Amino acid sequence: SAIFTPCKIGPVELRNRVIRSAAFENMAYGNSPSQDLFNYHTAVAKGGVGMTTVAYAAVNRSGLSFNGQLWMRKEIVPELRRMTDEIHSHGAKVSIQLGHCGNMTHRATCGCTPVGASSGFNLYSPTWARALKKDEILSLVEDFGTAVDLAREAGFDCVEIHCGHGYLISQFLSPYTNHRRDEFGGSLENRMRFMKLEMTNVLKHAGSDMGVIAKINMHDGFKGGMQTQECLQVAKELEKLGVHALVLSAGFVSRAPMEVMRGAMPLKTLAYYMDMKHFWWLKAGLALAGRLLIPSVPYKEAYFLDDAKVFRKALKMPLIYVGGMVSKAKMEEVLSEGFVALQVARALVRDTEFVNKLRSGEQECSECGHSNYCIGRMYTL
C-alpha cells in the first residue's frame, strides 16, 4: 500500500505517510510536558505512525489559550528531549506545532490583556483584546525563531507553524479579524506581512536540517472571512518562501469551529467538564444557546478532499491532507490524488495502534464513531 511507503518533508524522511496531527492533548499541566504527554506520543510512535505531532505550543506566554498547553521556554527542553528520544527509538519522527492564540485567551491564562491583529471583543473567551503594536509584532517574529531553536535543542525533526483556524497569524490574514490601517492591514499583501516575516525567520532558524510545515486555511468557513482564492494566494506565498509542506485545513475556532472538525459537538459533555472558575461564561452560553454558538456541520470521510484538490492543482509543493481519515481505502485514494502524506487525529485518539492494525490487515477502518466526545472533553484529560 502507498500508505506504508517512505516520504520526505524537506530534509526529513518518514517511514510511512501517516502523521499524527496536532490535535490538542491538554496534557501539558502548568504549560510544561507531563508523563501523560510522554506516554501518549510514545504509544502513537509504537503504534506505527511515520511522524507524531506534539500539539500547539505557544511561542510566548501571551500566546497561551489553555493551562494544559505547552509554552516554549528553556526549562522544558530536557523533558521534551526525553520524549523525542523515546519516540525516535520506536522508528517514528516527531514534529511540534508552534503558534500563538491571539485574542482567543483570557488574562487568567495568558497573564496579560489578550492581544490580536485588531482591538475588539472576542465572544469565544469572552474578553476584550487589544491590537498589537508594530514593535510587539516584530518581537513576536523573533519569538517564533527562538521557539524553533528550542525545538531543535529538544530533538524535534520538524516544526509545524499554525497559520489557520483563527489563531494569531490567521487573525492577521482574515479580513474578519484584521481591521488595521497600517502596513499590516487592508490589502491581502499587507495582511500577509506578519506571516511572511514570521515564516522567513522560522526558515532561517530551521536551517537545512529541520522540516518546516505550515498549517493553513483553505477557507475560514463563513461569509466575511477568507475565501478560497485569497487562501490560494497565501499558499502560493508560502511556496515561494520555501516552506517544505502545507497542511490544508479550514474553519475558524471563534466563529465556525465545527467547520474544522465536522459533525455535532456534544454540548452537555463539553459543558460538564468545563472548569467553572475559568470558563463559567462559556458554560452559561452553551446552556442558553449552544446550538446557535456551535452549529453542527455534516461529517463525511475525507470531508476536505474536494477543497484540497483545488490547492493540489494550483501548487507544486508537497501538500499534506487532513480531515476525516479513518479507512485504508480512503487514505489510498487521497494519496493517489498527489498528496505526500496525511494527518490523522481522532482515529489515533480512539486507538494508538491504528496504523499497525491497518498494516497487518487486522483492521481496514478505524472504530471511531465520529461522536466528537474527544472534542467535547477538550477541557479535561
Side-chain angles (χ1 to χ4, degrees), residues 212-327:
V212 176
I213 300 166
K215 188 169 195 173
I216 67 166
N217 274 6
M218 296 181 287
H219 54 80
D220 286 350
F222 58 94
K223 188 177 179 181
M226 291 273 281
Q227 306 303 326
T228 301
Q229 287 308 308
E230 279 199 326
C231 291
L232 268 172
Q233 293 307 308
V234 170
K236 288 175 180 177
E237 197 61 46
L238 291 168
E239 183 174 53
K240 270 193 232 171
L241 289 172
V243 172
H244 298 133
L246 300 180
V247 178
L248 301 173
S249 189
F252 219 80
V253 173
S254 61
R255 181 70 167 75
M258 296 315 294
E259 182 68 20
V260 182
M261 299 163 286
R262 302 298 174 97
M265 176 64 79
L267 294 170
K268 287 183 180 178
T269 300
L270 183 67
Y272 180 84
Y273 285 105
M274 277 181 178
D275 175 1
M276 278 295 286
K277 181 180 175 183
H278 295 105
F279 296 107
W280 61 267
W281 59 85
L282 203 48
K283 197 163 185 166
L286 288 174
L288 291 170
R291 292 291 170 210
L292 291 174
L293 288 170
I294 311 178
S296 299
V297 179
Y299 175 91
K300 68 174 183 177
E301 193 175 5
Y303 48 81
F304 284 147
L305 184 54
D306 289 342
D307 293 319
K309 282 156 71 170
V310 174
F311 282 70
R312 177 66 287 166
K313 186 176 179 181
L315 300 163
K316 295 177 181 175
M317 69 185 299
L319 301 178
I320 299 167
Y321 177 82
V322 70
M325 287 278 85
V326 291
S327 74

Side-chain angles (χ1 to χ4, degrees), residues 102-105 120-129 171 254:
N103 64 20
M104 291 196 293
T105 185
F121 189 77
N122 179 20
L123 187 62
Y124 176 83
S125 292
T127 189
W128 287 101
Q171 286 167 29
S254 61

Side-chain angles (χ1 to χ4, degrees), residues 97-113:
Q97 187 184 75
L98 303 174
H100 189 292
C101 68
N103 64 20
M104 291 196 293
T105 185
H106 200 274
R107 179 184 287 273
T109 303
C110 70
C112 62
T113 300

Side-chain angles (χ1 to χ4, degrees), residues 85-97:
D85 285 347
E86 184 67 17
I87 289 166
H88 288 145
S89 76
H90 297 290
K93 295 297 194 291
V94 55
S95 178
I96 186 166
Q97 187 184 75

Side-chain angles (χ1 to χ4, degrees), residues 178-196:
N178 187 341
H179 309 127
R180 301 178 72 98
R181 296 187 179 180
D182 61 6
E183 66 266 44
F184 293 96
S187 68
L188 178 60
E189 185 63 31
N190 282 358
R191 285 183 275 126
M192 288 195 291
R193 195 178 301 276
F194 172 52
M195 179 195 75
K196 288 165 68 175

